[in-house]
Amino acid sequence: MEKEKDMKGAYVERDLSWMYFNHRILQEAEKKSVPILERMAFLGIYSNNLDEFFRVRMASLNRIALSKDKNIKQDRERAKKTIKDINHLNACYNKEFEKAVDNITEELAKQGIKLLHETDLNEEQQLFIRRLYLEKLNGSTNPIWLSQVKEIGATGDDGIFLAVKRMVWIEDKKKPKVDYALIAMPDKELGRFVRLPQSDGMENIMYLDDVIRYCLPMIFIGAGKATYEAYSFKFTKDAEMDIENDLNSGVMQKVAKGVKSRKSGEPIRVIYDEKMPKELLKRIMSRLNIDALDTIVSGGRYQNHKDLMGFPDCGRQDLKYAKWTPILKPELEIEQSILDTIRQKDRFIHVPYHSFNSFIRVLREAALSPDVKAINVTLYRLAKASKVVKALICAARNGKKVTVVIELLALFDEESNIKWSKRLQKAGVEVVFGVEGLKIHSKLVYISCKSGDIACIGTGNLHEGNAKVYTDYMMMTARPQIVREVKKVFEFINKPFKPVKFRELLVSQMFHESSKKSKSNVLPVRNL
C-alpha cells in the first residue's frame, strides 16, 4: 500500500481483503475431503464472520460514505466504491454459499441424517411437534401484527424473524382477507434445531423455523378458516459504538453507554427468503428504513446460518474430525515449582495441542507463593467461568499487588469485560483500562518475584475456551532482557507520557507514537 494513502484509505482496502479471507472459509466447507459435519461447521463460521463484518467494518464504511464532512471527499468516494465492490462479492459468495448448503444437506441424507420440512412429517412426527408446541413453544411464539409495527429496527438484530402472511377465507367472498404478522424466533431459548423420531432408519432433524411453520394454525387459533405462508428474514445493525467525550464520566461508564447505543443502531443489511411476496417485502423494508447504500440480499428458506456451528451430530463421531486431547508437556507436569522450571529455561506451550492448564498453574502458583510480590496481566477476552480471574482474585486476597489491564473495547465482549472489571475491583485488584485512544491487544503477564521475575507472552487470549479451539503460542521466560521490557509495557500503560524504547519486543508503531503525546492524546481507536 502506498505511503501517501491515509488511514481511512488503508482500512477501505483491508475490508475488501477480509472478504477474500472469509471466502477461504467457505471453500473449506466445499471440500469433499473435509468430514461432512465439519463442513457444516465451516458454513456456520463463514456466516458468523460475515455478520460481525457487516456490524462493524461495513458500518464504518457506511458512516464514511454518508459523512457530510467536506474534508474527506476522497475518502467518501472510496468508501462508496468499496461498499459497491463488497456488495458484489457478497452476492456472488451468497449464491456459492446456498449451493454449498444444498450439497451438504444432500450428502448428509446419504449418511442417514435428513433435514425435514413441515410438509414431510409422518403421523408420529406430527404428534411429536404438537406436544412440543404445547409444552415449550406455546408461550414463546408471540406474533405482532405488522400493521402495528412502525419500526422493526428498534428490536435486536441477533435473531431471525418469520414474516407470516395470513389469508382468512370469508363466506361469499372470492378473495381472502390478507394480513401480515411478525414472529421473532425463540431460537435462543429452544435452540435452532429439533431432533424428531427416527423413520426408515434415518435420523431426522428439523429447523425451528419449520416447526413454527407447522404450528401456525395453533399459534393463530380462533382466527377462523385461514391458510398461512411464512418467510424468514434477518437484519444486521450498525454496531459501531458511539462513545461520548464526557469529562464527568469514567471509561467504564462511557463504554457502558456505548454498548447501549448499539441497540439503536441503524439496520445496514437485510437477508430475506427470495420467495417472499413483493408486497410483504416492501412493507418490511419500509419499517427497516433501508437506504441505497445498505446491503439487501435475497437468499434461501433459512437465515442465520451461524447456527450451523451447533448442528446436531446425532452421535455420528465418524462424520467429524477425531477429538484431540491436549497434552501436558512433561517438563511442566512435574512436581517441581513451575516458576522454578521457567527460571531454568524458557518454556513454551502451543494450544490447543498443549494443555492451557500449564499457564493456569503458573498463575495459581504465583497467587500462593510467598516469593511473589506482584502480578500484572493484560486481558482482552475471558471465559465465562474464568480460571484466570479466579487465580488473580486468589492472589489479591493473599496479599499480592495485582494489576489487571482490561480492554473494555474487546469487540462484542464489552459488557462481559465490564462485569469482570467490577468483580476484580471488588476483590481488591487494581483494574486499569489502558491508554485513551489505543486498543491493547497484547497478551502479557509480568510476575515480580524475590528470586527473579517472570514474564509470559502469548498470541492468544487468556481464555480457556479459546485455547481449546484456536492455535496460539505462549512463551514463559525469566530472561532479564525480555522480562524488563514486558515490565516497561505495563509502565507505559500507567504513564503513557513517558518515552519508551524496546530492543527485545516488537511493539506497535502506534504505541511508540502515543508515548510522545500526553495521556489526553486521541489517536483513533480502531479494531486492529
Side-chain angles (χ1 to χ4, degrees):
M1 204 177 300
E2 302 95 320
K3 287 185 179 178
E4 63 267 19
K5 282 192 176 179
D6 59 16
M7 183 65 76
K8 290 187 179 68
Y11 279 97
V12 162
E13 293 208 359
R14 180 198 67 179
D15 292 331
L16 271 176
S17 298
W18 187 93
M19 290 291 290
Y20 302 136
F21 156 75
N22 201 40
H23 183 238
R24 290 181 61 191
I25 296 174
L26 176 56
Q27 290 174 324
E28 287 297 311
E30 296 171 310
K31 288 182 179 178
K32 300 277 186 179
S33 59
V34 176
I36 189 70
L37 288 177
E38 302 291 351
R39 291 170 64 189
M40 190 72 91
F42 275 119
L43 290 175
I45 295 168
Y46 171 85
S47 182
N48 185 62
N49 287 351
L50 203 58
D51 283 351
E52 291 194 4
F53 174 82
F54 272 88
R55 293 181 74 190
V56 178
R57 295 188 181 183
M58 196 67 157
S60 294
L61 286 172
N62 268 272
R63 290 189 180 201
I64 295 169
L66 295 171
S67 173
K68 296 180 180 179
D69 188 343
K70 295 179 181 178
N71 298 318
I72 62 166
K73 183 178 179 180
Q74 186 177 357
D75 296 320
R76 188 164 53 243
E77 294 307 312
R78 189 186 291 120
K80 286 179 180 179
K81 182 182 183 303
T82 305
I83 289 170
K84 184 178 178 180
D85 291 341
I86 288 172
N87 282 336
H88 173 71
L89 281 175
N90 187 49
C92 293
Y93 294 165
N94 190 64
K95 290 178 181 177
E96 187 178 339
F97 181 91
E98 294 290 347
K99 185 178 178 181
V101 171
D102 291 341
N103 290 340
I104 291 173
T105 301
E106 288 177 13
E107 290 186 40
L108 269 177
K110 293 176 184 177
Q111 295 293 337
I113 300 176
K114 192 173 183 180
L115 278 163
L116 300 182
H117 290 179
E118 71 276 12
T119 56
D120 300 329
L121 305 176
N122 61 31
E123 287 187 16
E124 182 187 8
Q125 291 162 348
Q126 291 184 51
L127 179 60
F128 178 88
I129 294 296
R130 287 195 290 270
R131 283 178 179 167
L132 179 68
Y133 175 77
L134 293 172
E135 294 172 7
K136 294 184 178 180
L137 267 175
N138 188 22
S140 300
T141 47
N142 301 295
I144 298 174
W145 297 115
L146 193 55
S147 59
Q148 301 300 313
V149 178
K150 293 182 179 179
E151 188 179 349
I152 300 172
T155 60
D157 70 337
D158 195 31
I160 320 122
F161 291 85
L162 280 182
V164 180
K165 179 180 180 181
R166 186 182 72 157
M167 293 158 283
V168 180
W169 297 88
I170 303 170
E171 288 185 20
D172 302 326
K173 298 285 185 179
K174 291 184 179 180
K175 292 184 179 181
K177 177 187 176 185
V178 176
D179 47 28
Y180 303 102
L182 293 180
I183 296 178
M185 292 265 293
D187 53 304
K188 299 295 183 296
E189 307 148 56
L190 302 174
R192 187 70 188 282
F193 301 99
V194 176
R195 286 184 69 179
L196 302 175
Q198 292 183 352
S199 60
D200 301 321
M202 301 284 286
E203 291 284 353
N204 297 306
I205 307 292
M206 198 169 180
Y207 273 92
L208 184 63
D209 316 36
D210 291 332
V211 171
I212 293 176
R213 285 184 173 100
Y214 178 85
C215 294
L216 286 173
M218 291 182 278
I219 293 171
F220 289 91
I221 197 165
K225 184 182 177 182
T227 54
Y228 302 90
E229 297 172 7
Y231 307 90
S232 66
F233 73 95
K234 66 169 284 185
F235 58 90
T236 307
K237 292 166 70 171
D238 179 343
E240 282 279 56
M241 292 196 303
D242 295 318
I243 300 180
E244 298 176 2
N245 188 20
D246 183 359
L247 295 176
N248 296 318
S249 297
V251 176
M252 192 185 297
Q253 287 78 14
K254 289 178 184 178
V255 174
K257 289 179 182 177
V259 170
K260 289 181 180 178
S261 75
R262 276 189 178 144
K263 296 177 182 178
S264 58
E266 289 291 325
I268 58 170
R269 179 180 66 148
V270 181
I271 309 174
Y272 66 93
D273 185 339
E274 62 187 359
K275 294 181 180 179
M276 185 183 292
K278 290 183 179 179
E279 173 61 23
L280 177 53
L281 179 62
K282 182 179 178 182
R283 290 172 184 243
I284 289 170
M285 292 300 176
S286 68
R287 287 162 174 79
L288 283 170
N289 298 321
I290 296 298
D291 61 41
L293 286 175
D294 294 328
T295 303
I296 302 172
V297 182
S298 60
R301 183 179 176 90
Y302 310 106
Q303 320 309 332
N304 251 30
H305 292 287
K306 66 181 181 181
D307 294 328
L308 292 174
M309 288 189 284
F311 189 83
D313 63 18
C314 301
R316 294 292 301 275
Q317 296 303 314
D318 58 311
L319 302 180
K320 301 169 73 174
Y321 285 126
K323 283 189 177 181
W324 175 273
T325 302
I327 61 171
L328 275 168
K329 296 184 76 174
E331 69 269 25
L332 298 178
E333 64 175 336
I334 57 178
E335 294 181 3
Q336 181 185 353
S337 158
I338 196 168
L339 299 182
D340 287 342
T341 302
I342 295 168
R343 290 190 185 98
Q344 293 167 8
K345 184 181 178 181
D346 290 349
R347 307 295 176 178
F348 295 84
I349 57 173
H350 183 191
V351 296
Y353 312 107
H354 295 142
S355 174
F356 189 69
N357 284 336
S358 297
F359 170 69
I360 298 296
R361 190 180 157 203
V362 170
L363 291 183
R364 288 187 71 253
E365 185 176 322
L368 295 171
S369 173
D371 188 55
V372 173
K373 298 180 289 184
I375 304 172
N376 291 57
V377 183
T378 59
L379 299 178
Y380 193 78
R381 299 188 195 276
L382 289 161
K384 286 185 178 179
S386 175
K387 293 179 182 178
V388 172
V389 168
K390 289 177 182 177
L392 295 172
I393 288 174
C394 176
R397 288 176 176 168
N398 283 330
K400 318 296 181 188
K401 178 175 171 52
V402 181
T403 303
V404 174
V405 180
I406 289 191
E407 180 50 73
L408 289 181
L409 292 175
L411 189 60
F412 301 125
D413 266 2
E414 298 91 350
E415 258 182 299
S416 174
N417 285 0
I418 289 171
K419 180 194 76 174
W420 283 120
S421 299
K422 291 178 179 178
R423 183 172 173 183
L424 286 162
Q425 286 174 332
K426 191 175 180 180
V429 174
E430 180 184 356
V431 177
V432 179
F433 299 122
V435 183
E436 184 179 354
L438 295 186
K439 196 169 188 181
I440 299 173
H441 278 261
S442 306
K443 281 74 182 185
L444 299 173
V445 180
Y446 167 70
I447 302 173
S448 175
C449 309
K450 298 171 188 175
S451 304
D453 298 345
I454 286 172
C456 302
I457 304 170
T459 63
N461 298 315
L462 306 184
H463 185 304
E464 301 94 293
N466 286 4
K468 293 177 182 177
V469 180
Y470 298 110
T471 305
D472 283 299
Y473 291 93
M474 176 174 283
M475 174 187 186
M476 298 177 281
T477 184
R479 279 194 274 172
Q481 64 270 36
I482 294 178
V483 175
R484 278 196 300 267
E485 294 205 354
V486 171
K487 182 181 179 182
K488 283 167 68 175
V489 174
F490 286 101
E491 288 173 349
F492 167 80
I493 292 169
N494 277 314
K495 298 178 181 178
F497 48 83
K498 187 178 178 181
V500 285
K501 290 184 180 180
F502 296 93
R503 286 180 173 273
E504 303 295 331
L505 301 183
L506 290 173
V507 183
S508 164
Q509 184 63 35
M510 284 181 69
F511 185 106
H512 287 299
E513 290 174 359
S514 66
S515 68
K516 300 173 187 176
K517 301 171 182 279
S518 70
K519 192 170 182 178
S520 62
N521 81 78
V522 285
L523 283 173
V525 173
R526 308 299 296 189
N527 296 315
L528 301 176

